Every structure is written in structure tokens, then in C-alpha cells.
Amino acid sequence: LLQDAYSQDAHIRRCMRMDLMAVMERDPSRRHGVGVLLYAKGWHALQCHRLAHFLWKSGKEHMALYLQSMISQRFGLDIHPAAQIGGGVYFDEGTGIVIGETAVVGENVSLFHNVTLGGTGKDSGDRHPKVDNGILVGAGSYILGNIRIGRGAQVNCRSVITKNVEEFTVVAGVPGKAIGKLPPYVGPYPSKIMNHALMMELTNTESDVGEGVGI
């Protein structure tokens, strides 16, 4: 199955290479590519999802759902095979990550453990988040509903986000609030900077941090 997917879908091959480079760039414990291929659980789970997504698009939904179940049991995370995930995505270990059916994850995104991209209830149809390029989502965060997280945003650890987030914005808290804009040096990819203390270095200060701006 994997060989068929790679031979028929150039996008999968491209994303696999980008995912491998993402782990090498963002995980200091991975010193060479062989270590990623052998031991990086998050990378393994993501490649298995790409196969499940290929099967889903090919009309083999039951096989895709079976593979999803196997991924969940083996790697401890749950991604619906219909979820769309771009290249250069980094799962830090991957444990506890949940991504719903209609979620879309852009390119060069970093997700830490126990992140949920989920719905808000029993709504049907398009009901899951759209996460744009270059975003960092900290451990234990929940992004819920059909909302958009703008390019280059950062969601700090243990936040609950239920409303749209503007580009290049750092959000934190329960419920999530904007606490400022990203410093100029970060550029569009906080997912690559991987600085969870970024909220202490924001160009916006005191009033924004103290009261927050509702999102």
C-alpha cells in the first residue's frame, strides 16, 4: 500500500521529505536522518496518516479507518484519515494529538503533545479548525470549531481557542486571548523558532499582557 501511494502521489513524497527535514531542524535530540527513520514516533505516525489519507481520497474509506485505528493503538494519537495536513509538519513525540475529520493543517506547522484540533459538539459538516502555515501550538492546547488560526501565529501551552486568531499573534489562556504580536525577528515561522517563552519577549507590553484582547 505504501509503495502504491508513493508511486502514485508526488505530494506524499514531497511531504515526507519536508517532514523529515522538519524533525531534523526542530528536534535537538535527532542528530541524523537515520534516527528519525528508526525512532521518531511522531514522524512515523504522520507518514502513516498520509497513507490513510491517500486511501480515503481513493475511495477506500474502510481501509483508511482501519489504518487510523492501528495508528491510534500503536502511536497514541488520533488523526481522522480525511484531515488534510501539509508538508514540513512536526509532531513533538505526537502522544495525545487529536485532529478531526475536516481539520486542515498548513505547511511548516509544529504541534506538541496533547494538542486537539477538534469540534465543539455534535455539529456536522465543516466543523474543525484551519491552521495556517508556520504556526506553533504548545502542549495541551485545544483549538475547537471551524475557526482559522492565521499564518505565523503561536498558541501557548494549555490554551483553549474557540475564535479566529489573526496572523503573527501570540494567544494564551482559557479562554484564549491575544497577548500581543510577534517580534519582527521571528518572521512568519514561530514553528521553526520553537520558542515557548516568546510571550516574555513581545513587542506589545503591560496593557495587552495584563488584560488581553479577546479573540
Side-chain angles (χ1 to χ4, degrees), residues 34-68:
V34 173
V36 177
L37 295 173
L38 292 176
Y39 308 121
K41 182 181 75 170
W43 186 85
H44 293 160
L46 183 53
Q47 305 322 305
C48 290
H49 164 73
R50 297 199 186 282
L51 174 57
H53 185 66
F54 172 82
L55 294 171
W56 184 270
K57 292 191 302 178
S58 300
K60 300 175 181 177
E61 295 184 359
H62 289 289
M63 190 174 295
L65 290 168
Y66 176 76
L67 182 55
Q68 174 199 7

Side-chain angles (χ1 to χ4, degrees), residues 29-104:
S29 70
R30 306 299 177 187
R31 297 177 178 83
H32 46 74
V34 173
V36 177
L37 295 173
L38 292 176
Y39 308 121
K41 182 181 75 170
W43 186 85
H44 293 160
L46 183 53
Q47 305 322 305
C48 290
H49 164 73
R50 297 199 186 282
L51 174 57
H53 185 66
F54 172 82
L55 294 171
W56 184 270
K57 292 191 302 178
S58 300
K60 300 175 181 177
E61 295 184 359
H62 289 289
M63 190 174 295
L65 290 168
Y66 176 76
L67 182 55
Q68 174 199 7
S69 178
M70 294 299 98
I71 294 169
S72 178
Q73 292 180 38
R74 178 64 179 85
F75 298 113
L77 68 167
D78 201 337
I79 309 173
H80 194 282
Q84 302 175 53
I85 301 180
V89 170
Y90 170 57
F91 290 168
D92 179 60
E93 307 308 333
T95 301
I97 288 176
V98 176
I99 301 178
E101 178 182 8
T102 60
V104 178

Side-chain angles (χ1 to χ4, degrees), residues 171-201:
V171 293
V174 182
K177 297 180 181 294
I179 60 172
K181 291 288 187 179
L182 292 170
Y185 73 83
V186 174
Y189 298 118
S191 59
K192 292 188 174 182
I193 299 298
M194 301 282 284
N195 181 2
H196 292 279
L198 197 58
M199 60 181 293
M200 305 303 295
E201 304 170 18

